[in-house]
Every structure is written in structure tokens, then in C-alpha cells.
Amino acid sequence: MPVLRALAIPLLLLAPAAGPSAACAPAAAQSRPEPPRPACQGGRDTVAFGRMLVEYGIATLRYGIGIVLVFLGLVVMALGYLLVLVDLLFCWK
């Protein structure tokens, strides 16, 4: 047992000389992620969803629910175009 302790002491003295591990590296040395870019495509997706609702509403007009889907689709499309306008104003590159 004393022999193992005598062998372990030099190993313990050499271990810190190797330098800090990657987990202990300072935060400044690590690369920082880029800040997220503003999402400026929400209006187009909303308009596309509104158009899909209108088309589905027209296809189901004979069942009665179609007229509700048409009006809902028109409202969603109007909101989408409003979002496109906001995107043009605030996400100008």
C-alpha cells in the first residue's frame, strides 16, 4: 500500500501541469453564438394559410361550413397582409 501511495504522489503533481480541461476553459475563449435574426416571414405563411382556408371553404360550400371557412380565411389573409406590411417596415435589410 505505501508503494502505491508513493507512485500516486508524482502523478498527482503532474496532472495540473497539463492545463485546464475544455470544460474548465474560460467563457471568453468559447465562441459565442450569433444573435438570432428577426423572423420576417410570418406574414407570408399566414397569407398562405388564409388562402388554403378560402380554397377549402369554397370546396365545402354545399355542406354549410364552407361559408364560415371562407370568411375565416379572408380574415386570416387580411392579418397576413398586415404582417407583411409590418415586416416591410421593421425588417428592412
Side-chain angles (χ1 to χ4, degrees):
M1 243 359 183
V3 175
L4 290 176
R5 286 187 188 165
L7 291 175
I9 289 175
L11 290 177
L12 291 175
L13 293 174
L14 292 177
S21 66
C24 297
Q30 296 175 353
S31 64
R32 294 184 180 178
E34 294 182 12
R37 297 178 61 188
C40 295
Q41 301 297 323
R44 293 179 187 166
D45 295 337
T46 307
V47 171
F49 181 69
R51 285 183 183 161
M52 183 199 63
L53 281 176
V54 169
E55 289 174 3
Y56 190 69
I58 291 172
T60 59
L61 272 176
R62 62 179 159 171
Y63 301 116
I65 191 71
I67 193 73
V68 174
L69 290 177
V70 168
F71 286 125
L72 183 65
L74 290 174
V75 169
V76 170
M77 282 175 54
L79 289 174
Y81 283 124
L82 183 66
L83 283 174
V84 168
L85 178 67
V86 169
D87 286 346
L88 284 175
L89 294 175
F90 294 111
C91 295
W92 192 265
K93 292 180 184 178

